[in-house]
């Protein structure tokens, strides 16, 4: 039966339900002519479930076996369109990856977390919101590509390793500096939301620039961010800045999924041992302070740096590595968090609109 299941492709992907690990159980009749397949998938979409049901039945029918299909899936989120602004209603959930300072591995976290979510069978996009220092296209191996116009007035997103993305790096000559004021930055982010043909996505991961300025405010006001992820390193100075990111999430009413502590130990390539050269565990105190958790402690591995430079992230180049395993666990935690947020209708940006919030009260952004 397993060989037949390997022929069942998950809708929208070129990987089978076996490759994704979506097969929960297989109950076969004694004569081998009937089988009951139970899947557990990450999507609540009725169309995907129906397509999976149909392709499974057809694949087994070709093998002379009658199949019945049960599909376990998350509950559908409540309708939240009345709670603020959403410029990308075709995206089910949004993850904002932020850091208080640069150089802590925020873009690396964004890319590998997105790939880990895609490995779950989700349709994933990455919006490179770091307009002044865009790195996502290089990390995903498409830094030389130029955009294609589709639908007359929209740009087709780039795609690699099953993840769609857009980045300012692909729209400018190599090395050209952007000396834009805040209004131009806001306009660029707006175009990434409106003028890119993203298609239907389960999740959009947004790589924010360092700090807590115009870019963060713009994205939070225009999209109902489902989950905030703060990135830091173990050093005290980095944790000080990460605290500002956490405070920003609170003030923008963004549900906090957790903290990723990068450079959390060094794995020696010679012996495989892990050494805490920069310290370790400082993020746990910060997580406790903000009633969240450390969703991953990512060590220093040479493959992470090499993969980012060469356009083959560690999730792709070394899926068996310790870091890849930790990214996968982080993706599981973030997915569970998102399910809870959507089920309980906790995401909304009505309270941070530029002038007024709920019931006509001044918003957090308009208060002096």
């Amino acid at each position: 039966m397993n060989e037949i299941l390997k022929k069942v492709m998950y809708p929208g992907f070129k990987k089978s339900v076996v490759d994704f690990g979506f097969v929960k159980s297989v109950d076969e009749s004694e004569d081998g002519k009937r089988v009951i397949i139970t899947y557990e998938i990450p999507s609540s979409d009725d169309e995907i479930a129906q397509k999976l049901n149909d392709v499974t039945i057809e694949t087994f029918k070709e093998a002379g076996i009658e199949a019945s299909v049960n599909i376990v899936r998350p509950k559908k989120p409540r309708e939240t369109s009345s709670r603020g602004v959403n410029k990308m209603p075709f995206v089910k959930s949004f993850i904002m990856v932020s850091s208080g300072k640069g150089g802590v591995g925020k873009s690396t976290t964004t890319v590998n977390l997105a790939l880990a979510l895609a490995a779950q069978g989700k349709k994933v996009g990455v919006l490179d919101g770091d307009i002044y220092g865009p790195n996502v296209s290089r990390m995903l191996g498409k830094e030389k590509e130029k955009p294609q116009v589709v639908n007359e007035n929209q740009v087709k997103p780039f795609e690699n390793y099953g993840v769609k993305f857009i980045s300012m790096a692909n729209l400018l000559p190599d090395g050209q500096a952007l000396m834009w004021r805040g209004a131009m930055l806001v306009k660029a982010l707006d175009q990434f939301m409106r003028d890119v043909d993203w298609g239907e996505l389960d999740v959009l991961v947004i790589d924010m620039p360092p700090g807590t300025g115009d870019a963060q405010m713009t994205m939070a006001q225009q999209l109902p961010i489902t989950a905030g992820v703060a990135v830091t390193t173990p050093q005290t100075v980095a944790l000080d800045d990460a605290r500002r990111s956490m405070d920003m999430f609170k003030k923008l009413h963004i549900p906090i999924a957790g903290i990723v502590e990068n450079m959390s130990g060094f794995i020696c390539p010679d012996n495989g041992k892990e050494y805490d050269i920069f310290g370790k565990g400082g993020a746990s105190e910060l997580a406790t302070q903000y009633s969240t958790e450390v969703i991953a402690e990512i060590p220093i591995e040479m493959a992470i740096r090499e993969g980012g430079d060469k356009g083959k992230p560690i999730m792709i180049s070394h899926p068996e590595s310790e870091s890849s395993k930790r990214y996968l666990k982080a993706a599981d935690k973030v997915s569970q968090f998102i399910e809870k947020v959507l089920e309980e209708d906790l995401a909304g940006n009505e309270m941070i609109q530029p002038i007024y919030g709920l019931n006509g009260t001044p918003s957090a952004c308009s208060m002096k």
Side-chain angles (χ1 to χ4, degrees):
M1 294 297 172
N2 195 56
E3 291 303 314
I4 301 175
L5 283 166
K6 286 182 179 179
K7 299 178 182 179
V8 179
M9 298 295 113
Y10 188 65
F13 292 85
K14 296 180 180 180
K15 291 174 64 176
S16 75
V17 289
V18 174
D19 293 329
F20 275 123
F22 291 162
V23 181
K24 189 175 182 181
S25 65
V26 179
D27 296 317
E28 185 179 353
S29 65
E30 292 184 3
D31 59 8
K33 294 183 179 180
R34 293 181 301 279
V35 66
I36 300 174
I37 308 293
T38 300
Y39 297 121
E40 186 167 1
I41 65 174
S43 175
S44 60
D45 190 279
D46 291 335
E47 185 178 355
I48 289 178
Q50 188 60 53
K51 287 181 178 179
L52 180 57
N53 177 83
D54 294 346
V55 72
T56 301
I57 291 174
E58 184 61 31
T59 302
F60 275 88
K61 184 178 179 180
E62 292 174 358
I65 300 172
E66 180 184 343
S68 299
V69 181
N70 297 320
I71 300 179
V72 180
R73 49 189 175 139
K75 292 182 180 179
K76 284 189 174 182
R78 298 185 201 175
E79 179 58 53
T80 61
S81 59
S82 62
R83 298 190 57 234
V85 177
N86 186 359
K87 286 191 175 180
M88 302 179 73
F90 42 85
V91 179
K92 294 177 183 176
S93 58
F94 303 91
I95 300 172
M96 178 184 285
V97 181
S98 189
S99 66
K101 69 189 300 283
V104 295
K106 175 180 50 59
S107 295
T108 300
T109 297
T110 297
V111 167
N112 283 289
L113 181 60
L115 291 167
L117 290 165
Q120 296 177 343
K122 290 182 171 64
K123 295 181 179 179
V124 181
V126 174
L127 190 157
D128 190 351
D130 195 347
I131 301 298
Y132 299 124
N135 300 121
V136 167
S137 58
R138 177 176 295 280
M139 290 183 176
L140 285 171
K142 294 284 185 177
E143 72 275 12
K144 299 296 183 183
E145 304 237 352
K146 296 301 176 185
Q148 299 178 17
V149 177
V150 294
N151 302 329
E152 295 185 358
N153 59 354
Q154 283 192 311
V155 170
K156 182 180 180 182
F158 304 99
E159 185 170 357
N160 205 10
Y161 311 124
V163 170
K164 296 180 179 180
F165 71 94
I166 193 72
S167 175
M168 184 60 72
N170 299 97
L171 307 178
L172 296 171
D174 288 345
Q176 178 172 314
L178 277 182
M179 293 178 287
W180 286 354
R181 296 189 185 276
M184 290 296 290
L185 179 146
V186 169
K187 184 177 180 180
L189 292 174
D190 184 72
Q191 288 183 304
F192 281 175
M193 289 183 272
R194 289 180 179 272
D195 299 337
V196 176
D197 184 19
W198 290 101
E200 298 288 331
L201 295 177
D202 292 313
V203 59
L204 180 72
V205 188
I206 307 167
D207 182 25
M208 301 307 302
T212 56
D214 284 342
Q216 286 79 2
M217 186 74 73
T218 296
M219 300 308 292
Q221 287 178 334
Q222 303 304 322
L223 301 172
I225 305 298
T226 326
V229 174
V231 181
T232 186
T233 55
Q235 297 98 318
T236 301
V237 290
L239 290 166
D240 286 344
D241 291 321
R243 186 171 286 105
R244 296 183 179 93
S245 286
M246 302 292 278
D247 185 60
M248 176 196 71
F249 288 149
K250 285 288 186 182
K251 288 179 176 177
L252 295 179
H253 302 277
I254 294 174
I256 302 174
I259 302 171
V260 172
E261 185 177 81
N262 275 330
M263 306 182 196
S264 183
F266 165 68
I267 295 181
C268 179
D270 294 333
N271 56 26
K273 291 183 179 180
E274 189 168 342
Y275 302 92
D276 299 336
I277 58 176
F278 292 132
K280 188 174 182 179
S284 60
E285 294 181 14
L286 186 60
T288 300
Q289 182 181 345
Y290 284 90
S291 302
T292 185
E293 65 176 320
V294 178
I295 59 174
E297 294 179 331
I298 306 297
I300 298 174
E301 284 195 83
M302 292 177 64
I304 294 180
R305 193 272 305 165
E306 292 171 350
D309 289 347
K310 296 178 180 179
K312 289 187 177 181
I314 194 167
M315 278 292 304
I316 300 300
S317 62
H318 294 80
E320 77 293 342
S321 68
E322 181 61 29
S323 293
S324 292
K325 292 174 184 176
R326 295 185 190 185
Y327 280 125
L328 287 168
K329 288 181 180 179
D332 286 338
K333 290 181 178 180
V334 172
S335 293
Q336 292 170 18
F337 182 83
I338 287 174
E339 286 180 21
K340 178 183 177 182
V341 169
L342 295 178
E343 183 178 341
E344 298 180 13
D345 198 13
L346 301 177
N349 57 14
E350 73 278 12
M351 290 296 291
I352 59 167
Q353 293 310 308
I355 301 176
Y356 292 107
L358 192 64
N359 299 324
T361 57
S363 74
C365 305
S366 62
M367 295 177 66
K368 295 183 179 180

